[in-house]
Amino acid sequence: MYQYDEIDQTMVDERVAQFRDQVARRLTGEISEDEFKPLRLQNGLYLQLHAYMLRIAIPYGTLSSRQLRGLAQIGCTYDRAWGHFTTRQNLQYNWIKLEDTADALADLAKIQMHAIQTSGNCIRNTTTDQFAGAAHDEIEDPRVWCEIIRQWSTFHPEFSFLPRKFKIAVTGSPNDRAAVRVHDIGLRMHKNDAGEIGFEVIVGGGLGRTPFIGKTIRDFLPKQDLLSYLEAILRVYNQFGRRDNLYKARIKILVHEIGIETMREKVEAEFAASKDGALKLPQEAIAQIAAQFAPPAFENLSGISADYANAFRTDFEFGLWARRNTFKHKQPGYSIVTISLKKEGAPPGDASAEQMNAVADIADRYSFGEIRVTHEQNLVLAHVKQADLPAVFKALKAYDLATPNIGLASDIIACPGLDYCALANARSIPIAQQIALRFRNWERAHDIGELKIKISGCINACGHHHVGHIGILGVDKAGEEFYQITLGGAADEQAAIGDLIGPSLNTQDAVDAIDTLVETYLRLRKSSDERFLDTYRRVGLAPFKEAVYVSA
Amino acid sequence: MAKAPKLNSQPQVVTANHLLSGDVVYLTKAATWSRRIHDAAVVANVDAGAALLAEAEAQAKQNIVVAPYLIPVDASVTPPKPIQYREILRAEGPSTETRPAA
């Protein structure tokens, strides 16, 4: 993992001191709220519905156990002993006081973390595959490139006041777990015909009011040109992106309005002028950063652990969990474990300080002291010996962290919605909880199989509803909460925007409709191997729409 | 069916967020701020609320609260109940909240 050097630490410490002074001047009235607001936002501090919310950057979702314990401690000291993991692989505290914020940021700096660039019209936290460096299907570890992007983009003077916020995601695997096609820039690592590894560069994806799947602007970009090319895209966006209309300011609108061909011409011209300049990445610098992500000291293991096989055979609960929550590792004898933060009845993505400390302890004992945050609001232990899986399961279960539902109907992405967010029109968490209750029966849930339900409380789409197999969007109708349902969205390598099935429904009808949609799928599927999304793609919208509205 | 009254013609209270804590607060008859809507000063409608809002804005300038505004309430019940769902949530807290306040 990357460690701050003296320059990093000084920069972050000085930023905390600067913010402490800004808060003091706000409290004495030396600066007004209008003047203070952009300053607090640049430090991740929002004023939400009930309180201040502090958003912490977790670079590419990677945490050490020390950092996770630190986050738990900050949650205990300044919040209500909880934290909320988000779809941006970040952490949010929902009950922070302005007067405590500088102290909280100072405590964060002690664990080499900060809240810089978690808000504002800058390049935000770069996200990636939560299985990076561990997945069996990986071409190359994308975190190296996320780190290079982090170092380049943090405090980048030219890109601190873009037309709008800017999000970059990287995947090092052909199976995209980072949703790269719905980011402002998506980077997909792949091999060209000559066997060289580079990037497919995708631009102009995004959700929100106007959702778009990104378009490929470059099929293959050599690694050493990554920053030059990113800078060329950002420079074109900074120059031509709209600043006259907040809703048309994202790069996706620019790409849509001028077309990908024109966008490519402009970017390539900019790139040609700068590609061999200061941003060309020297091999030694890449190697130096890659060394910080060197694989941990794996043991040489072969075959299947007898303990694991025995537990799988004899312990039904463990077997259920291992089937759903573990993933194939590149190293023989190891597995990747996803820890569900979607226990029935819990707000998706929430973790108590006690749970965070428990995960940190389990990571220390069984996974080289490292934790990942997923964009689907779960946690990951990336390197667990298969022989240790029964013990890990037992330890997680003691803290309500062993729900066997990864990728199932109850593993729902939901934004905080109107329960917390000042922008929301409707609540997301309660409807997520009600839907999860419908699928509490493990037999039914596992029979249904993979089903990604994603819920947003407003059109800004923090809950990624557009790319849910079933997407749910909360809307306000004359002061009442209603929900629009979309079908067929996907955030993977075959990314798609879902189709609206019809008029919005009230809360109860929307929850019933999800049941109806699932029952319709079970009736229509060819076999238990055909996923909900496959069935939808085969039969289309009509039978699902009819089932929801004709039977209503 | 009788038309629902316009929100502006409903009884109103002034709400804001407390600058230091971020808490939801309501302006009282004594021109202080309370975390309980029970204590809020209620006026007949938006027009009658102008003076109340002016007082609140003056306090915002003194760095006590942030962004005060009038909200319609049903004053026939005690405590007055906000009409808009967003304001009900602000008054009562998150509907999913199960955690004790610090």
Side-chain angles (χ1 to χ4, degrees):
Chain A
M1 278 183 60
Y2 180 72
Q3 302 283 314
Y4 280 11
D5 62 18
E6 201 178 320
I7 296 170
D8 293 319
Q9 191 66 54
T10 303
M11 202 165 10
V12 172
D13 289 342
E14 284 179 354
R15 181 67 174 253
V16 173
Q18 185 187 49
F19 187 63
R20 192 181 294 281
D21 180 60
Q22 288 162 348
V23 172
R25 288 190 289 138
R26 170 71 185 97
L27 297 180
T28 61
E30 197 180 325
I31 51 178
S32 67
E33 182 62 20
D34 285 346
E35 290 164 326
F36 180 61
K37 187 176 173 183
L39 302 175
R40 67 168 159 77
L41 288 175
Q42 282 167 4
N43 289 283
L45 189 66
Y46 290 71
L47 184 52
Q48 291 285 41
L49 214 54
H50 307 282
Y52 290 100
M53 177 272 278
L54 183 63
R55 180 180 295 152
I56 311 302
I58 302 175
Y60 33 92
T62 299
L63 282 168
S64 68
S65 55
R66 176 172 172 255
Q67 287 172 320
L68 188 55
R69 278 192 200 92
L71 292 174
Q73 183 57 47
I74 290 167
C76 288
T77 309
Y78 306 107
D79 201 280
R80 297 184 179 181
W82 288 74
H84 174 73
F85 291 98
T86 79
T87 54
R88 297 280 311 139
Q89 297 183 296
N90 285 329
L91 181 89
Q92 292 179 179
Y93 297 112
N94 279 319
W95 301 96
I96 293 286
K97 297 186 187 318
L98 176 60
E99 53 193 332
D100 291 338
T101 308
D103 289 339
L105 292 176
D107 287 356
L108 267 182
K110 288 176 195 158
I111 52 168
Q112 304 195 336
M113 298 188 77
H114 60 68
I116 298 160
Q117 289 179 273
T118 58
S119 178
N121 295 334
C122 55
I123 301 170
R124 303 284 186 89
N125 183 38
T126 297
T127 52
T128 192
D129 181 357
Q130 66 271 15
F131 298 164
H136 74 283
D137 56 356
E138 184 172 272
I139 295 165
E140 189 172 306
D141 189 341
R143 289 172 305 167
V144 176
W145 303 98
C146 294
E147 176 56 27
I148 288 170
I149 293 168
R150 186 187 76 83
Q151 293 191 22
W152 159 75
S153 63
T154 303
F155 297 124
H156 196 305
E158 190 178 338
F159 305 135
S160 295
F161 296 93
L162 293 164
R164 279 288 275 144
K165 58 186 168 182
F166 203 90
K167 301 172 182 176
I168 302 173
V170 191
T171 178
S173 296
N175 299 301
D176 178 11
R177 289 175 287 267
V180 300
R181 293 189 186 277
V182 287
H183 280 74
D184 295 297
I185 293 178
L187 298 167
R188 188 181 74 83
M189 303 193 78
H190 69 115
K191 265 187 194 159
N192 66 8
D193 293 341
E196 298 159 331
I197 297 173
F199 301 96
E200 177 190 355
V201 183
I202 299 152
V203 72
L207 302 177
R209 188 175 297 261
T210 318
F212 280 113
I213 300 299
K215 297 175 177 68
T216 299
I217 191 166
R218 250 277 180 150
D219 288 321
F220 188 84
L221 180 73
K223 289 180 193 173
Q224 69 269 24
D225 292 331
L226 177 65
L227 294 187
S228 307
Y229 203 81
L230 292 183
E231 190 136 319
I233 294 174
L234 265 297
R235 197 162 280 164
V236 169
Y237 170 53
N238 213 7
Q239 187 178 356
F240 296 102
R242 290 181 62 166
R243 286 182 151 87
D244 61 324
N245 183 334
L246 179 72
Y247 304 114
K248 296 185 175 180
R250 297 290 290 269
I251 194 172
K252 62 189 174 184
I253 303 296
L254 176 66
V255 173
H256 180 68
E257 286 189 350
I258 68 174
I260 188 65
E261 296 304 329
T262 306
M263 184 76 189
R264 184 179 293 120
E265 280 168 28
K266 289 181 185 299
V267 169
E268 289 289 339
E270 190 65 47
F271 176 56
S274 62
K275 66 180 286 208
D276 294 318
L279 283 177
K280 195 172 185 91
L281 286 160
Q283 201 51 50
E284 318 81 76
I286 298 172
Q288 201 177 21
I289 290 173
Q292 290 162 350
F293 296 93
F298 292 124
E299 291 175 33
N300 282 321
L301 302 169
S302 59
I304 294 177
S305 141
D307 290 346
Y308 170 60
N310 186 46
F312 199 88
R313 201 173 51 247
T314 58
D315 183 340
F316 175 76
E317 269 190 280
F318 170 73
L320 205 61
W321 174 82
R323 269 198 294 277
R324 215 54 243 182
N325 292 36
T326 66
F327 189 81
K328 189 176 175 186
H329 200 286
K330 62 167 70 167
Q331 180 73 15
Y334 284 80
S335 284
I336 303 169
V337 170
T338 301
I339 300 169
S340 173
L341 295 181
K342 315 289 176 63
K343 182 179 159 35
E344 177 193 314
D350 273 16
S352 68
E354 188 186 27
Q355 287 175 321
M356 288 189 243
N357 282 324
V359 171
D361 291 345
I362 295 166
D364 274 344
R365 187 155 181 203
Y366 298 108
S367 193
F368 301 95
E370 191 190 309
I371 302 99
R372 314 284 178 78
V373 181
T374 83
H375 85 272
E376 292 181 322
Q377 299 179 285
N378 292 310
L379 299 177
V380 163
L381 302 171
H383 314 291
V384 179
K385 272 197 288 186
Q386 282 169 0
D388 289 335
L389 287 172
V392 168
F393 170 70
K394 195 175 164 195
L396 291 172
K397 197 177 168 198
Y399 290 90
D400 280 337
L401 290 167
T403 308
N405 65 345
I406 299 304
L408 299 181
S410 59
D411 183 12
I412 298 169
I413 287 182
C415 72
L418 191 53
D419 275 309
Y420 291 94
C421 178
L423 300 174
N425 294 318
R427 291 175 299 162
S428 301
I429 296 169
I431 192 166
Q433 291 169 317
Q434 288 183 53
I435 293 167
L437 274 177
R438 297 288 180 104
F439 299 102
R440 69 197 300 186
N441 179 311
W442 67 264
E443 201 168 6
R444 182 177 181 226
H446 285 251
D447 179 40
I448 294 162
E450 185 185 281
L451 177 55
K452 292 181 185 281
I453 300 175
K454 307 189 184 199
I455 307 173
S456 302
C458 79
I459 196 68
N460 292 305
C462 294
H464 297 185
H465 66 278
H466 294 297
V467 288
H469 299 173
I470 298 177
I472 301 172
L473 166 65
V475 292
D476 175 81
K477 275 173 77 168
E480 267 195 83
E481 294 170 300
F482 274 70
Y483 296 90
Q484 288 180 349
I485 297 174
T486 51
L487 294 182
D492 58 15
E493 59 282 0
Q494 292 181 297
I497 304 297
D499 307 308
L500 184 63
I501 66 164
S504 58
L505 303 164
N506 68 29
T507 308
Q508 190 54 54
D509 288 346
V511 174
D512 289 342
I514 305 306
D515 243 341
T516 304
L517 290 166
V518 170
E519 288 304 317
T520 306
Y521 151 66
L522 292 173
R523 186 165 47 79
L524 292 173
R525 72 181 178 185
K526 281 180 173 169
S527 72
S528 59
D529 291 336
E530 189 178 61
R531 301 173 308 162
F532 179 94
L533 186 62
D534 302 327
T535 302
Y536 177 77
R537 285 174 174 162
R538 179 171 57 79
V539 305
L541 184 69
F544 290 99
K545 180 173 184 169
E546 189 182 336
V548 169
Y549 291 101
V550 174
S551 64
Chain B
M1 201 171 97
K3 266 190 166 178
K6 286 186 176 171
L7 293 179
N8 286 356
S9 63
Q10 294 272 152
Q12 312 271 327
V13 303
V14 169
T15 184
N17 287 81
H18 190 248
L19 172 64
L20 269 178
S21 65
D23 289 346
V24 175
V25 287
Y26 300 92
L27 189 62
T28 71
K29 281 182 188 165
T32 58
W33 293 93
S34 171
R35 286 171 173 76
R36 302 187 326 146
I37 197 168
H38 205 294
D39 302 327
V42 181
V43 290
N45 51 44
V46 163
D47 291 338
L52 208 60
L53 188 58
E55 169 62 34
E57 283 167 349
Q59 296 206 26
K61 283 189 180 141
Q62 292 164 29
N63 313 311
I64 297 165
V65 294
V66 180
Y69 56 99
L70 285 160
I71 59 164
V73 293
D74 176 0
S76 68
V77 293
T78 304
K81 190 172 176 79
I83 305 291
Q84 294 152 320
Y85 196 70
R86 177 181 192 273
E87 295 302 330
I88 294 172
L89 279 175
R90 284 183 78 244
E92 296 177 0
S95 63
T96 61
E97 180 58 39
T98 54
R99 305 162 209 165

